[in-house]
């Protein structure tokens, strides 16, 4: 019986370890790029929901927060209040002193509102001179008292532009939030209440200009 010649030992493929390391490097690079892209997407989404001037939620961002809050209220039987607030005399300020002055007024109003709410509450800008506040766990009486306090705090703000003292003012409307609430209807209800309030305040003095 003839013996078969022994098979020569299999030779290692040249560069096999290097190829695997190259693949790993590519995977690491792709993962890093994916994380960077995800961060960028998150930044763009946040920017799309934020008012660039005031650094608070814009209408889109606030409506998203309101929808989330109502979903939570429906699940856990929680409650809250929605306040829509409109600056009464921003247009005369813009017309008399320019939009930079109007921007200063808006920033001061946001700072005033933010100081008077809790960390869990949300202050947003619906557009122009209209703001909205989402407040947790308030009764109707407390919500109306809070709206009146916001009005008073903004009424008391005073600015000096071109040597003249200027005041703005605000009108606020309230809608209660609970398990049966709908975000769209709540905004409409608070907005309508705000316009009723604004009509009642029309007899009050308009923009006040007093030479210093």
């Amino acid at each position: 019986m003839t013996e078969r010649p022994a098979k020569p030992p299999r030779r290692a493929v040249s560069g096999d370890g290097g190829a695997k390391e190259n693949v790993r490097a590519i995977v690491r690079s792709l993962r890093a790029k994916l994380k960077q892209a995800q961060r960028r997407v998150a930044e763009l989404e946040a920017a799309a929901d934020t008012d660039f001037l005031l650094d608070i939620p814009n209408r889109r961002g606030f409506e998203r927060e309101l929808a989330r809050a109502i979903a939570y209220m429906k699940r856990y039987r929680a409650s809250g209040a929605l306040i829509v607030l409109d600056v009464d005399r921003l247009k005369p300020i813009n017309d008399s002193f320019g939009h930079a002055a109007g921007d200063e007024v808006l920033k001061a109003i946001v700072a005033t509102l933010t100081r008077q709410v809790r960390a869990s509450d949300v202050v947003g800008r619906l557009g122009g001179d209209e703001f909205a506040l989402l407040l947790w766990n308030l009764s109707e009486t407390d919500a109306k008292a809070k709206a009146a306090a916001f009005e008073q705090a903004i009424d008391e703000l005073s600015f000096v532009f071109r040597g003249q003292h200027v005041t703005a003012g605000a009108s606020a409307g309230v809608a209660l939030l609970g398990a049966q609430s709908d975000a769209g209807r709540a905004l409409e209800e608070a907005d309508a209440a705000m316009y009723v309030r604004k009509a009642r305040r029309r007899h009050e003095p308009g923009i006040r200009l007093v030479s210093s």
Side-chain angles (χ1 to χ4, degrees), residues 20-73:
K20 289 182 179 180
E21 185 56 38
N22 286 340
V23 170
R24 293 191 188 101
I26 292 171
V27 170
R28 286 195 297 268
S29 175
L30 290 174
R31 284 176 176 168
K33 290 179 180 178
L34 176 60
K35 289 181 180 179
Q36 185 178 6
Q38 289 172 334
R39 284 196 298 269
R40 183 57 179 158
V41 169
E43 289 171 359
L44 291 172
E45 287 179 344
D49 288 347
T50 303
D51 185 273
F52 73 94
L53 174 66
L54 304 175
D55 197 29
I56 59 175
N58 57 19
R59 175 179 283 274
R60 170 178 156 161
F62 185 84
E63 288 180 347
R64 179 176 294 180
E65 291 294 329
L66 179 60
R68 288 174 179 169
I70 290 177
Y72 180 93
M73 292 174 187

Side-chain angles (χ1 to χ4, degrees), residues 17-198:
K20 289 182 179 180
E21 185 56 38
N22 286 340
V23 170
R24 293 191 188 101
I26 292 171
V27 170
R28 286 195 297 268
S29 175
L30 290 174
R31 284 176 176 168
K33 290 179 180 178
L34 176 60
K35 289 181 180 179
Q36 185 178 6
Q38 289 172 334
R39 284 196 298 269
R40 183 57 179 158
V41 169
E43 289 171 359
L44 291 172
E45 287 179 344
D49 288 347
T50 303
D51 185 273
F52 73 94
L53 174 66
L54 304 175
D55 197 29
I56 59 175
N58 57 19
R59 175 179 283 274
R60 170 178 156 161
F62 185 84
E63 288 180 347
R64 179 176 294 180
E65 291 294 329
L66 179 60
R68 288 174 179 169
I70 290 177
Y72 180 93
M73 292 174 187
K74 289 179 178 179
R75 182 172 182 179
Y76 296 104
R77 305 307 245 176
S79 63
L82 171 66
I83 296 177
V84 169
L85 184 147
D86 189 80
V87 182
D88 287 335
R89 298 183 288 273
L90 186 65
K91 186 177 185 304
I93 292 174
N94 283 331
D95 292 345
S96 299
F97 304 103
H99 286 275
D103 290 348
E104 184 176 332
V105 171
L106 292 175
K107 290 176 182 177
I109 287 173
V110 169
T112 299
L113 295 174
T114 303
R115 282 194 300 269
Q116 297 194 42
V117 300
R118 298 157 295 186
S120 58
D121 298 331
V122 181
V123 179
R125 185 184 186 186
L126 298 182
D129 54 4
E130 193 170 59
F131 296 87
L133 299 99
L134 168 60
L135 309 175
W136 288 90
N137 302 320
L138 288 182
S139 66
E140 181 176 5
T141 299
D142 291 339
K144 289 181 177 179
K146 198 70 175 175
F150 291 148
E151 287 183 349
Q152 181 179 352
I154 294 171
D155 287 347
E156 292 174 353
L157 290 175
S158 181
F159 307 88
V160 178
F161 301 123
R162 299 176 193 166
Q164 294 180 304
H165 291 280
V166 179
T167 61
S171 302
V174 177
L176 297 181
L177 300 174
Q180 305 305 317
S181 295
D182 172 80
R185 285 198 297 270
L187 279 168
E188 290 175 0
E189 181 181 343
D191 197 56
M194 179 272 292
Y195 278 107
V196 170
R197 176 62 178 155
K198 184 179 285 288

